[in-house]
Structure formats: C-alpha cells, structure tokens
Amino acid sequence: MGSNSVIDQKHKVVVGEGGYVLEDVPHFSDYIPDLPTHSNQLQDNPAYSVVKQYFVNEDDTVTQKIVVHKKSPKGIHFRRAGPRQKVWFESDEVHACIVTCGGLCPGLNTVIREIVCGLHYMYGVKKVEGIDGGYRGFYARNTISLNPKIVNDIHKRGGTILGTSRGGHDTSKIVDSIQDRGINQVYIIGGDGTQRGASLIFEEIKRRGLKVSVAGIPKTIDNDIPVIDRSFGFDTAVEEAQRAINAAHVEACSIENGIGVVKLMGRYSGFIAMYATLASRDVDCCLIPESPFYLEGPGGLFEYIEKRLKENGHLVLVIAEGAGQELLSESIPTEKEDASGNKLLKDVGLWISQKIKDHFAKLKKMAINLKYIDPTYMIRAVPSNASDNVYCTLLAQSAVHGAMAGYTGFTVGPVNGRHSYIPFYRITERQNNVVITDRMWARLLSSTNQPSFLSSKDVEDRRGQDCQATDEEIFSEDILVNKGISFM
C-alpha cells in the first residue's frame, strides 16, 4: 500500500494520507510464512477470454462513505473483492465445505449452487462437501457430496438442501473436524450469530497455524447486517410481502370499517416493513421496532385508526414482529431465548389485533371488521427472485475468489455497489437499523400520512443517537484512539 502504515495488527487497520483508512482482512501470509503461490488459471478460462482485465488490482479498495464534502477525510475503505493474479491453492488440493446456519432465507440454495459451480468451473475444484444441519453437523452428522450436477436446479427451491439449525457451536470440535477431514476452504452462510461463530473458527484455525480459508456469506432476511448495501433474500421478502399486503387491502376494502393487519419479519430492524409499505402504497400505517408508538390518548394509534376509518372506510396496518415489544412485556412477561441466544418475541400481530378489537368494542359507536395475516414462514420459504439470484451469484463468486487468493477470516458483500472483503468484527459489532430521523422514514410517513407517534423530546433524543451512530462510520483520530489504535 505504498507509504501507508499498519497501525493495528490485530484488526489489520492501515492508515494512509488524507485520512485514508483500510480495514483489511487476514491473509495466509500474515501467519504462515513461505507458502507457495500459483498463477490464476482464470486467465486461460474461455469464459474470461474477452474480459479486458482479468484480475482486480491488489491496491483496489472500496470506500464505505460515498457522500463526502470537499474537506472530508478519505475515510474507511475495504479491500475490493474479485479474482487475483496469484492464488494460494492448486485446484486438486482444494477440499471445500459449505454450511448454512440460522433461519431460512430466500437465496440460500442459490449461494450454495454458485459456490459449487464457481469452484468447479472457474478453478477446476472437484472436491466440495456440504455440512448437514448447521454448525453441529461438523461433528454430529454426515457430509453431502456436492458437484454441479447435484446442485444444478436447487436455486428453484426454497430453504437449504444442506439443512440448518441454531446453536450447536463448539469451536474446538468444529476445527478438529475440519482438520481431520482435510478441509481447507470453509464457506459459512448465516447471520450475525453465525458470523461471530465463523470468526471464532478462524481464530482457532489461525492459532493452530492451519492453511484453511474461512469465508463468510452474510445472511439475514431482515437486512440488519451493517456495512453492506443489503443482504440477500431481502428483495425477495419485500416482493413477497406485497401479496400479503394486497390481500389485507382487498379484505379491508370489501367491508365497512374493514381493517387489515399484516405482520412482517423484523426482529430488531423494520426494513422489510418499511420497504414493503413504500412499495405497496396501500398501507395506512407502518409500525417498526425503531419507532416507538402508543395506543391510547391524543395522537395515539387508536385515534389515528378512527380518523382513517372515518375518512376512507378502511385501513391497512403493517407491523414488524419486533415492534411494540415493550408494550407487550407489560402484560405478557417472558425472558425465554432460542438456541442462538435471541430473545423469543411475543406475537405482536395477534396482540395488536386484539387490542384494536377491544378498543372499538368499548367505543360501541363504530363496529369494525378486522382480518389478521401472518405470512412470515411463507415469505422466508420461497425461492429467491431474479434480483436476489443475480446478487447471490456475485456473493458466492466473490467468496470463492477471496478464498482461492489466500484471504481468510472475512465476509463478503457490496459496499456502495462494489463487492468487498470485510473483517468479521465489522459485521458483528452492531446491527443495521432504520434511522427514523433519516429521509427514507420521512418518505414513508409522507406516503402513509401517519403520525410519527414521537414527542418533540423523542425526536431530539433520536437525532442525537443517530448523529452519534453516523459519526462512528466516519474516520476520526478520536475513534481510532478509543479502539486502542495510536497514530505513528
């Protein structure tokens, strides 16, 4: 990187001139000296014969923040994904495995297919296995042999052909299994908990000095993974949610004072609900976890529902599964968790439907007809749409290129439209949330004409929180010092 200096060996942070910061990913050369390299055979691949430039320049990086001022520092960058001129594996020595963990998501099978086909057709790799049943499959179940013929049409199916599970992560046992089986490329598809597990697996592999590349493909239907532009399956989920919203709208319009309530996914982040609402234009109110609401009194939800019913004769309400959980906790306390450590949510859709019914039953002056639709499992079980299929292909191929080039301990995803290699800690350090003081949420409020349900004090508090979150994405000397990094 020329005159740039590495100032944090643990996280491979490189600082250059003008406030340039590269948050790099680990490489075999960091901890295994004198490994041989080989010419990348892609240059002889007929598919790439017309490509003007086969390989990504080693110094290519992608900026995290695309909108800057003329006096802004260059800011945080990530290493650009893509094929390299030199690779650290020969085709016949590669023994790759793929594992899927966590909940289902459209596109899982597409990612599996394209990893297998990418390794086979681009690099001539013949030995690829699928781990059956998530992380615990490394030491508790058999593997599934994968080749282009076996995975040929799996992208047309929902779910994952490898099976999945939550929890069951024993790092030492997993690495023992990897070592015993002679696996040297591990492709891990899953959400933030899965990527945290992948980071631990990489650290143990590094501690043992093994030549094993660990590549993560971030998966969450909720789109709550930070840094990357979006997660695969999200586009399909928004599209599929339209069917449920349309059904609720038809039901609500077909009867006097009809109310259609649709619960969509979004444990901590309301992106699916927000984008589905904006896409639909039939939604009168959207409730998400990031924006608290209240039911009774002036400016509350009940008052707004009454107003819209009087104006239009019907109402469609979309609510994310994580919205209003603090209100439910007052009446239905529970602290149970699933196998991944996620707090089990109460069914806010059923709860709010009953609350609305009870409210109007007390009023007696306005009879309502409410229909509740929960399409959650229908949405996450469908095959990915065309947009997500293309996206999954790019993710898979970028992961394959990175592993072959000797990178490890990374996850892959688009940053400002360019696929990049991102350190695990950046993916797992926080969640991506809807910023309710941002213009996108304002567009939704304008589209639905719903109130924000926030007091002026709430708005100021949220602005302060969002400004602080935004500042953390921008390079500054103070932040680096707080991370234990000092300037040279």
Side-chain angles (χ1 to χ4, degrees):
M1 304 297 295
S3 60
N4 293 351
S5 350
V6 178
I7 59 173
D8 178 22
Q9 292 291 349
K10 181 183 178 184
H11 285 160
K12 271 194 93 172
V13 176
V14 179
V15 171
E17 296 177 358
Y20 172 94
V21 176
L22 170 62
E23 297 205 22
D24 207 354
V25 296
H27 192 272
F28 286 154
S29 58
D30 297 336
Y31 65 95
I32 308 177
D34 304 322
L35 278 177
T37 60
H38 315 278
S39 295
N40 193 330
Q41 64 192 63
L42 269 183
Q43 59 192 346
D44 302 318
N45 190 315
Y48 279 73
S49 61
V50 296
V51 177
K52 185 177 180 181
Q53 184 178 351
Y54 297 122
F55 305 118
V56 171
N57 189 297
E58 286 298 327
D59 285 341
D60 282 359
T61 59
V62 179
T63 182
Q64 180 175 5
K65 190 172 177 61
I66 196 168
V67 179
V68 297
H69 305 293
K70 61 183 179 181
K71 293 184 179 180
S72 298
K74 291 181 180 179
I76 293 172
H77 289 64
F78 300 103
R79 189 168 291 280
R80 185 182 175 189
R84 264 53 182 181
Q85 194 163 9
K86 296 290 183 183
V87 294
W88 264 251
F89 291 98
E90 290 190 281
S91 303
D92 57 2
E93 75 170 297
V94 174
H95 181 181
C97 75
I98 306 169
V99 63
T100 55
C101 304
L104 296 183
C105 177
L108 279 168
N109 280 332
T110 308
V111 175
I112 295 167
R113 181 190 190 278
E114 297 309 322
I115 291 173
V116 174
C117 292
L119 283 166
H120 184 93
Y121 292 122
M122 291 191 297
Y123 291 100
V125 173
K126 301 295 192 292
K127 197 167 185 181
V128 185
E129 296 178 350
I131 303 299
D132 184 16
Y135 272 141
R136 63 171 60 96
F138 274 102
Y139 49 84
R141 299 194 183 189
N142 293 326
T143 58
I144 303 167
S145 180
L146 300 174
N147 59 51
K149 186 176 180 179
I150 290 172
V151 302
N152 181 53
D153 62 353
I154 64 172
H155 61 292
K156 298 174 184 176
R157 300 181 235 163
T160 164
I161 64 162
L162 301 181
T164 185
S165 64
R166 297 186 184 276
H169 186 274
D170 187 318
T171 303
S172 183
K173 283 185 179 181
I174 290 171
V175 177
D176 286 344
S177 175
I178 290 169
Q179 197 168 0
D180 292 344
R181 296 171 190 262
I183 292 168
N184 51 24
Q185 289 187 8
V186 183
Y187 296 92
I188 299 173
I189 311 167
D192 56 349
T194 301
Q195 300 303 312
R196 275 192 289 272
S199 180
L200 294 173
I201 291 168
F202 158 69
E203 291 295 340
E204 178 62 17
I205 284 170
K206 180 181 176 182
R207 189 187 69 78
R208 297 187 190 188
L210 305 177
K211 184 190 173 185
V212 178
S213 179
V214 179
I217 295 93
K219 176 227 67 173
T220 168
I221 201 169
D222 293 345
N223 197 39
D224 59 1
I225 290 180
V227 182
I228 63 174
D229 297 344
R230 66 181 172 92
S231 53
F232 76 83
F234 173 71
D235 192 56
T236 304
V238 171
E239 186 176 297
E240 196 66 19
Q242 302 302 296
R243 303 177 192 273
I245 292 173
N246 184 58
H249 185 245
V250 169
E251 288 283 354
C253 289
S254 300
I255 195 164
E256 184 180 5
N257 291 331
I259 298 176
V261 176
V262 180
K263 184 184 78 172
L264 297 176
M265 284 159 293
R267 175 179 288 273
Y268 303 112
S269 303
F271 287 103
I272 292 178
M274 180 174 73
Y275 277 83
T277 294
L278 282 167
S280 168
R281 304 290 174 178
D282 287 331
V283 179
D284 299 284
C285 186
C286 176
L287 303 174
I288 61 173
E290 295 89 338
S291 184
F293 63 93
Y294 57 99
L295 301 178
E296 300 178 2
L301 180 63
F302 292 155
E303 182 183 81
Y304 173 66
I305 293 174
E306 289 179 44
K307 177 185 173 187
R308 291 310 290 261
L309 288 178
K310 289 174 182 176
E311 290 173 350
N312 298 336
H314 67 274
L315 176 134
V316 176
L317 184 148
V318 167
I319 185 164
E321 62 180 324
Q325 290 294 317
E326 68 283 354
L327 298 177
L328 274 80
S329 297
E330 296 173 4
S331 54
I332 318 172
T334 180
E335 293 298 329
K336 294 180 180 178
E337 294 182 345
D338 64 19
S340 297
N342 297 314
K343 185 178 178 181
L344 290 176
L345 300 180
K346 307 157 192 93
D347 192 329
V348 71
L350 285 173
W351 173 82
I352 202 164
S353 297
Q354 190 59 51
K355 284 289 185 180
I356 293 169
K357 289 177 183 177
D358 293 345
H359 172 77
F360 282 93
K362 290 177 186 175
L363 279 182
K364 295 182 180 179
K365 62 181 180 180
M366 184 184 287
I368 63 163
N369 291 276
L370 187 146
K371 299 292 186 292
Y372 171 52
I373 298 174
D374 180 0
T376 300
Y377 294 105
M378 294 175 64
I379 288 175
R380 74 179 203 166
V382 301
S384 51
N385 64 9
S387 172
D388 270 326
N389 269 335
V390 173
Y391 179 30
C392 289
T393 300
L394 298 178
L395 282 171
Q397 291 190 0
S398 293
V400 166
H401 290 316
M404 291 298 295
Y407 292 108
T408 181
F410 69 89
T411 192
V412 65
V415 179
N416 294 322
R418 295 285 186 178
H419 281 248
S420 309
Y421 299 134
I422 304 161
F424 281 134
Y425 67 87
R426 287 305 309 272
I427 294 295
T428 60
E429 65 185 357
R430 65 178 182 85
Q431 285 178 312
N432 191 29
N433 297 109
V434 173
V435 178
I436 64 169
T437 54
D438 193 21
R439 281 191 293 272
M440 187 57 80
W441 185 245
R443 291 180 184 116
L444 180 139
L445 296 179
S446 176
S447 170
T448 60
N449 202 28
Q450 72 184 68
S452 69
F453 301 111
L454 293 174
S455 66
S456 56
K457 183 179 184 302
D458 289 333
V459 171
E460 287 304 315
D461 289 345
R462 287 306 175 105
R463 279 179 179 162
Q465 292 170 14
D466 295 335
C467 285
Q468 183 179 2
T470 302
D471 288 342
E472 287 173 357
E473 297 298 328
I474 302 172
F475 167 79
S476 75
E477 184 172 336
D478 290 340
I479 290 172
L480 289 178
V481 168
N482 287 338
K483 287 184 177 180
I485 303 169
S486 59
F487 282 90
M488 300 179 74

